[in-house]
Amino acid sequence: MTTVTAEPAPPATPSGRSARPSRLRRSWDKHWYAWAMVLPVVIVLAVLIFYPLFRGIWLSFTNLNEANQVAEICTKSITGSEVCAENPNRWEFVGLDNYVRVLTGEVGEFWQWTGTTLIWTFVCVAFHFGLGLGLATMLNRPMRFRSLYRVLLVLPWAVPAFVSAFAWKFIFNERFGLANALLSAVGIDPVSWFADRWTALLTAIVTNIWLGVPFMMVALLGGMQTIPSELYEAAEIDGASAWQRFRNITLPGLRPVSMTVILLGTIWTFNMFPIIFLVTEGQPAGQSEILVTGAYRAAFEGIRNYSLASTYGVLILSILLVFSVFYRRALRKQGEVW
């Protein structure tokens, strides 16, 4: 006969209810070591990420800039001593004024930069994924020197971004660049690549494609190698063509990896500062700027407008958050659990 021992009931409170520990307290009592190991990471994130984030959001509601950031203005008197007086133009809280001015076009070129950013992001990610998928498919098949090809194709990813940016900027140089040399060799007049908005943006897109394809290729190649080979063998026995195997086995099998790398690629490309800044430098006349380079110039060029740069930063974060939310909903509709 089995004897069942009942657990002791928690002590009762003066109101008659049992004093059951809170869920957080129970988690701490049971997993205190996990909380202790996570705590240093939380502290580092709070210092390096959360504090600057909330500080930037707060600054976007002020009019802080380089001219009014000093609370007091000090001048030298005849006797040599300093006389300090309160700055009448010191920064102050202005509410949503910065957002209104940016979104209505009173300051900056927000909507032009947003359009350029969206074009830049869509084209780059499309080529990243398309070329990466093609190269991954090629390298997933048995061939001679496959390991050598993999190393060579990953090299652009290993080169620092600023080195690639300067190299491609020289390639598109109007007088000495390789691009115009090739055009001249086939009888086409040299192109002033950075004198037009679209050709300048093209040079940046080509540079970013060169840098981003290796990541997509490696990620998709890893996803392909997790697809069971038995599926391909069964499809081949059933008479499926190579295209049918690719469409019905490879693409569905790559869906979890594809969705993740597309999201990451979109966020990275949207915020890809060095390529635009170093290759086009916003030429001509700022027409090839994207949002992150516009925010940088507001913060560090001319009279540094920290509040305006913070406003751009908050808007960039908001756009990416909205995109991520809708992207996640789309994945759920397709049956993805991510």
Side-chain angles (χ1 to χ4, degrees), residues 70-77 81-87:
V70 180
E72 293 183 340
I73 299 177
C74 298
T75 57
K76 291 282 187 180
S77 65
S81 60
E82 286 190 349
V83 178
C84 297
E86 184 177 352
N87 184 359

Side-chain angles (χ1 to χ4, degrees), residues 143-193:
M143 64 172 66
R144 296 182 61 186
F145 307 114
R146 183 169 63 172
S147 299
L148 176 62
Y149 296 147
R150 288 180 179 178
V151 172
L152 293 177
L153 289 171
V154 169
L155 276 180
W157 195 20
V159 176
F162 74 92
V163 175
S164 297
F166 285 130
W168 280 97
K169 185 174 183 178
F170 182 77
I171 288 173
F172 287 106
N173 184 276
E174 183 179 356
R175 297 179 58 189
F176 309 108
L178 178 61
N180 278 343
L182 293 175
L183 293 178
S184 299
V186 296
I188 301 177
D189 294 335
V191 177
S192 299
W193 296 99

Side-chain angles (χ1 to χ4, degrees), residues 28-29 77 97 119 167 197 205 232 244 258 293 295 301 305 313:
W28 169 258
D29 292 338
S77 65
D97 284 359
I119 295 171
R197 175 189 180 186
I205 289 173
Y232 292 101
Q244 289 174 327
S258 300
T293 58
E301 293 185 357
N305 196 329

